[in-house]
Amino acid sequence: MPGPGLPELRDAIAEEASRRGRPTAREEVLVTMGAKHSLTQCLLTLIDPGDEVIFPNPGYPPDEFWITYAGGRVVYAPLVEPDYHFDLDALAKLITPWTKLLILNTPAAAEWDDGGPLG
């Protein structure tokens, strides 16, 4: 399989994204082995030494590893219980000139009927 994915699959994904309102070309589509693999590729591609990445706490620990592996610094943004949302005022205070990324992890626990994947 070619690096970015099968051309037919990339065409189908681009067509679906376009149908949903975001005009997309095949060249904009990269097929990966899954969400975590995709996020790892993004982190390793986008983070330079010294960059800050705002990370939800609690979050997914392997993502923290890849941030630091790429030379970035994890900046923790506490999530507010019981529905684990960001406090937007607190989040805004974490943004600095060195902030490169904000990790958003969804679905939130409140979106699950049983309280989330851990509940």
Side-chain angles (χ1 to χ4, degrees):
M1 173 166 69
L6 295 172
E8 298 83 3
L9 177 58
R10 293 171 60 215
D11 285 340
I13 293 169
E15 184 178 309
E16 179 63 19
S18 296
R19 188 184 69 74
R20 292 182 181 202
R22 199 264 183 210
T24 305
R26 174 199 296 181
E27 295 74 25
E28 297 175 272
V29 176
L30 174 66
V31 178
T32 67
M33 295 183 291
K36 287 301 160 191
H37 183 253
S38 167
L39 181 57
T40 298
Q41 287 180 324
C42 288
L43 293 172
L44 293 177
T45 300
L46 296 174
I47 297 172
D48 295 312
D51 288 341
E52 293 180 351
V53 178
I54 299 175
F55 189 80
N57 185 18
Y60 186 66
D63 296 341
E64 296 174 71
F65 170 81
W66 292 115
I67 293 165
T68 57
Y69 180 82
R73 185 170 83 80
V74 177
V75 177
Y76 295 100
L79 297 177
V80 181
E81 293 187 56
D83 60 349
Y84 298 97
H85 66 274
F86 285 107
D87 174 332
L88 296 182
D89 291 328
L91 183 62
K93 292 176 184 172
L94 297 176
I95 298 171
T96 73
W98 299 275
T99 302
K100 179 151 273 175
L101 298 170
L102 165 63
I103 303 293
L104 298 175
N105 190 10
T106 185
E111 296 174 333
W112 293 73
D113 290 338
D114 65 355
L118 303 177

